[in-house]
Amino acid sequence: MQRTLILLKPDAVQRRLVGPIVERFERKGLKVIGMRLMKISDQLAATHYEAHQGKPFYDGLVQFMTSGPVVALALEGNKAISVCRKLMGATFGCDADAGTIRGDFGISNGFNLVHGSDSTEAAQRELELFFDPEDLHSYELIDDSWNAAE
Ligand code: DAT
Ligand code: MG
């Protein structure tokens, strides 16, 4: 069982796509264990994207991510990190396959609607950046016992 951090970026909120995007993750079977509408500070954006510091798109990325509210989601499920990355699609909307979130809802390079952690280390680090431990909720869903029996 893995946990991952998903961000619905400012373009998702501005375009009123919070519901349709959350639905993609829920209908796949991921469990929402944390959810937060928030404004990302310059400091948080810099920490979150520190691996990209110095790249040509970095300043624009931080400006975009701090430009309006985002929805932070903590999701749990079997192979949640790679499952969510597949649901998101390729980084640029123009390259992302139809059927993915980025492939179905956008065509832009930078305004690509969602962030998802890309490794277990990144997921742990990013979940800690966006959620206090008490705001992540463990609870049972009826199909958890079916998955455990597999
Ligand atoms: P991903 O979000 O698919 O993990 P990433 O971590 O390589 O992609 O990059 C982080 C974000 O930065 C990405 O969602 C959009 C933006 N970005 C990356 N490469 C870019 C580029 N060449 N031009 C503009 N924006 C870019
Ligand atoms: Mg990334």
Side-chain angles (χ1 to χ4, degrees), residues 9 49 52 55 57 61 85 88-92 102 109-110 112 114-116 118:
K9 296 184 179 184
Y49 279 125
H52 295 303
K55 295 184 183 171
F57 59 86
L61 178 61
R85 296 284 301 188
M88 289 161 52
T91 299
F92 296 160
R102 287 165 168 170
N109 290 353
N112 60 2
V114 277
H115 165 83
D118 64 5

Tab-separated table of all heavy atoms in Angstrom, residues 9 49 52 55 57 61 85 88-92 102 109-110 112 114-116 118, ligand 1:
chain	number	residue	atom	x	y	z
A	9	LYS	N	-3.494	21.856	-9.725
A	9	LYS	CA	-2.784	23.123	-9.867
A	9	LYS	C	-3.766	24.286	-10.075
A	9	LYS	O	-4.955	24.059	-10.318
A	9	LYS	CB	-1.801	23.009	-11.038
A	9	LYS	CG	-0.694	21.967	-10.801
A	9	LYS	CD	0.323	21.950	-11.934
A	9	LYS	CE	1.430	20.939	-11.671
A	9	LYS	NZ	2.482	20.976	-12.720
A	49	TYR	N	9.619	22.277	-5.438
A	49	TYR	CA	10.226	22.125	-6.765
A	49	TYR	C	11.740	22.346	-6.734
A	49	TYR	O	12.325	22.734	-7.744
A	49	TYR	CB	9.564	23.082	-7.755
A	49	TYR	CG	8.244	22.568	-8.310
A	49	TYR	CD1	7.083	23.319	-8.212
A	49	TYR	CD2	8.162	21.330	-8.959
A	49	TYR	CE1	5.868	22.851	-8.730
A	49	TYR	CE2	6.964	20.858	-9.475
A	49	TYR	CZ	5.826	21.619	-9.365
A	49	TYR	OH	4.637	21.153	-9.878
A	52	HIS	N	14.076	21.334	-9.517
A	52	HIS	CA	14.033	22.053	-10.796
A	52	HIS	C	14.687	23.430	-10.739
A	52	HIS	O	14.693	24.146	-11.742
A	52	HIS	CB	12.582	22.198	-11.262
A	52	HIS	CG	11.920	20.893	-11.575
A	52	HIS	ND1	12.414	20.004	-12.503
A	52	HIS	CD2	10.808	20.301	-11.068
A	52	HIS	CE1	11.630	18.931	-12.569
A	52	HIS	NE2	10.655	19.078	-11.701
A	55	LYS	N	16.521	25.553	-13.709
A	55	LYS	CA	16.060	25.218	-15.062
A	55	LYS	C	15.328	26.411	-15.678
A	55	LYS	O	14.779	27.260	-14.952
A	55	LYS	CB	15.141	23.988	-15.015
A	55	LYS	CG	15.876	22.725	-14.567
A	55	LYS	CD	14.992	21.492	-14.625
A	55	LYS	CE	15.771	20.294	-14.084
A	55	LYS	NZ	14.921	19.098	-13.909
A	57	PHE	N	12.521	26.857	-17.030
A	57	PHE	CA	11.088	27.026	-16.748
A	57	PHE	C	10.796	27.243	-15.273
A	57	PHE	O	9.636	27.432	-14.891
A	57	PHE	CB	10.305	25.804	-17.259
A	57	PHE	CG	10.726	24.487	-16.661
A	57	PHE	CD1	10.187	24.051	-15.452
A	57	PHE	CD2	11.663	23.682	-17.297
A	57	PHE	CE1	10.573	22.845	-14.889
A	57	PHE	CE2	12.049	22.464	-16.741
A	57	PHE	CZ	11.507	22.049	-15.536
A	61	LEU	N	7.304	28.407	-13.421
A	61	LEU	CA	6.615	27.338	-12.695
A	61	LEU	C	6.220	27.802	-11.295
A	61	LEU	O	5.068	27.621	-10.861
A	61	LEU	CB	7.543	26.114	-12.625
A	61	LEU	CG	7.056	24.898	-11.863
A	61	LEU	CD1	5.780	24.321	-12.464
A	61	LEU	CD2	8.158	23.824	-11.825
A	85	ARG	N	0.491	8.449	-11.585
A	85	ARG	CA	1.254	9.012	-12.703
A	85	ARG	C	0.650	8.574	-14.039
A	85	ARG	O	0.598	9.344	-14.997
A	85	ARG	CB	2.728	8.585	-12.617
A	85	ARG	CG	3.478	9.113	-11.394
A	85	ARG	CD	3.872	10.550	-11.471
A	85	ARG	NE	4.731	10.864	-12.590
A	85	ARG	CZ	5.336	12.040	-12.768
A	85	ARG	NH1	5.172	13.014	-11.875
A	85	ARG	NH2	6.081	12.279	-13.808
A	88	MET	N	-2.439	10.538	-14.713
A	88	MET	CA	-2.124	11.928	-15.078
A	88	MET	C	-1.704	12.057	-16.530
A	88	MET	O	-2.025	13.033	-17.193
A	88	MET	CB	-0.980	12.449	-14.204
A	88	MET	CG	-1.358	12.694	-12.764
A	88	MET	SD	0.101	12.772	-11.681
A	88	MET	CE	1.132	13.971	-12.499
A	89	GLY	N	-0.908	11.110	-17.028
A	89	GLY	CA	-0.384	11.191	-18.389
A	89	GLY	C	0.931	11.945	-18.463
A	89	GLY	O	1.460	12.431	-17.460
A	90	ALA	N	1.470	12.049	-19.675
A	90	ALA	CA	2.766	12.696	-19.909
A	90	ALA	C	2.728	14.156	-19.456
A	90	ALA	O	1.662	14.777	-19.383
A	90	ALA	CB	3.132	12.611	-21.384
A	91	THR	N	3.920	14.711	-19.173
A	91	THR	CA	4.017	16.049	-18.578
A	91	THR	C	3.297	17.119	-19.391
A	91	THR	O	2.556	17.932	-18.824
A	91	THR	CB	5.505	16.431	-18.408
A	91	THR	OG1	6.123	15.483	-17.537
A	91	THR	CG2	5.647	17.822	-17.822
A	92	PHE	N	3.502	17.133	-20.676
A	92	PHE	CA	2.885	18.169	-21.516
A	92	PHE	C	1.536	17.675	-22.048
A	92	PHE	O	1.451	16.575	-22.629
A	92	PHE	CB	3.784	18.529	-22.688
A	92	PHE	CG	5.106	19.144	-22.299
A	92	PHE	CD1	6.176	19.135	-23.187
A	92	PHE	CD2	5.281	19.747	-21.055
A	92	PHE	CE1	7.402	19.709	-22.834
A	92	PHE	CE2	6.495	20.322	-20.696
A	92	PHE	CZ	7.563	20.300	-21.593
A	102	ARG	N	-4.212	14.781	-18.121
A	102	ARG	CA	-3.575	15.827	-18.923
A	102	ARG	C	-3.954	15.686	-20.395
A	102	ARG	O	-4.062	16.677	-21.121
A	102	ARG	CB	-2.053	15.761	-18.741
A	102	ARG	CG	-1.588	16.278	-17.375
A	102	ARG	CD	-0.165	15.876	-17.106
A	102	ARG	NE	0.420	16.563	-15.957
A	102	ARG	CZ	1.592	16.233	-15.426
A	102	ARG	NH1	2.304	15.241	-15.948
A	102	ARG	NH2	2.070	16.897	-14.399
A	109	ASN	N	1.998	23.076	-22.215
A	109	ASN	CA	3.172	22.448	-21.606
A	109	ASN	C	3.183	22.655	-20.095
A	109	ASN	O	3.256	21.692	-19.325
A	109	ASN	CB	4.458	23.044	-22.182
A	109	ASN	CG	4.679	22.650	-23.622
A	109	ASN	OD1	3.948	21.831	-24.170
A	109	ASN	ND2	5.686	23.235	-24.241
A	110	GLY	N	3.146	23.923	-19.697
A	110	GLY	CA	3.333	24.253	-18.288
A	110	GLY	C	2.053	24.200	-17.477
A	110	GLY	O	2.062	23.839	-16.305
A	112	ASN	N	-0.466	22.256	-16.756
A	112	ASN	CA	-0.814	20.851	-17.003
A	112	ASN	C	-1.626	20.230	-15.877
A	112	ASN	O	-1.618	19.014	-15.690
A	112	ASN	CB	0.446	20.042	-17.310
A	112	ASN	CG	1.438	20.084	-16.163
A	112	ASN	OD1	1.184	20.682	-15.130
A	112	ASN	ND2	2.568	19.426	-16.346
A	114	VAL	N	-2.141	18.990	-13.050
A	114	VAL	CA	-1.890	18.141	-11.880
A	114	VAL	C	-0.401	17.931	-11.622
A	114	VAL	O	0.403	17.892	-12.561
A	114	VAL	CB	-2.544	16.747	-12.006
A	114	VAL	CG1	-3.994	16.755	-11.598
A	114	VAL	CG2	-2.362	16.148	-13.377
A	115	HIS	N	-0.091	17.771	-10.355
A	115	HIS	CA	1.221	17.272	-9.933
A	115	HIS	C	1.005	15.930	-9.252
A	115	HIS	O	0.019	15.758	-8.546
A	115	HIS	CB	1.890	18.224	-8.939
A	115	HIS	CG	3.041	17.581	-8.217
A	115	HIS	ND1	4.301	17.510	-8.756
A	115	HIS	CD2	3.097	16.914	-7.019
A	115	HIS	CE1	5.092	16.850	-7.922
A	115	HIS	NE2	4.390	16.479	-6.864
A	116	GLY	N	1.939	15.008	-9.435
A	116	GLY	CA	1.909	13.755	-8.676
A	116	GLY	C	3.315	13.349	-8.309
A	116	GLY	O	4.238	13.452	-9.127
A	118	ASP	N	6.675	11.308	-7.798
A	118	ASP	CA	7.209	10.363	-8.785
A	118	ASP	C	8.016	9.219	-8.186
A	118	ASP	O	8.591	8.414	-8.925
A	118	ASP	CB	8.021	11.113	-9.846
A	118	ASP	CG	9.247	11.803	-9.276
A	118	ASP	OD1	9.543	11.642	-8.077
A	118	ASP	OD2	9.927	12.509	-10.049
B	1	DAT	P1	5.880	16.189	-13.985
B	1	DAT	O1	4.935	17.248	-13.470
B	1	DAT	O2	5.243	15.388	-15.081
B	1	DAT	O3	6.475	15.342	-12.895
B	1	DAT	P2	8.460	17.532	-14.109
B	1	DAT	O4	8.640	17.123	-12.688
B	1	DAT	O5	9.532	17.173	-15.086
B	1	DAT	O6	7.076	16.963	-14.696
B	1	DAT	O7	8.272	19.116	-14.190
B	1	DAT	C1	7.535	19.798	-13.207
B	1	DAT	C2	6.614	20.786	-13.866
B	1	DAT	O8	7.386	21.797	-14.509
B	1	DAT	C3	5.746	20.186	-14.970
B	1	DAT	O9	4.554	19.647	-14.474
B	1	DAT	C4	5.495	21.364	-15.870
B	1	DAT	C5	6.763	22.197	-15.726
B	1	DAT	N1	7.697	21.944	-16.818
B	1	DAT	C6	8.567	20.918	-16.924
B	1	DAT	N2	9.315	20.999	-18.035
B	1	DAT	C7	8.898	22.137	-18.643
B	1	DAT	C8	9.284	22.800	-19.848
B	1	DAT	N3	10.257	22.320	-20.637
B	1	DAT	N4	8.626	23.942	-20.174
B	1	DAT	C9	7.662	24.445	-19.383
B	1	DAT	N5	7.259	23.875	-18.230
B	1	DAT	C10	7.868	22.738	-17.874
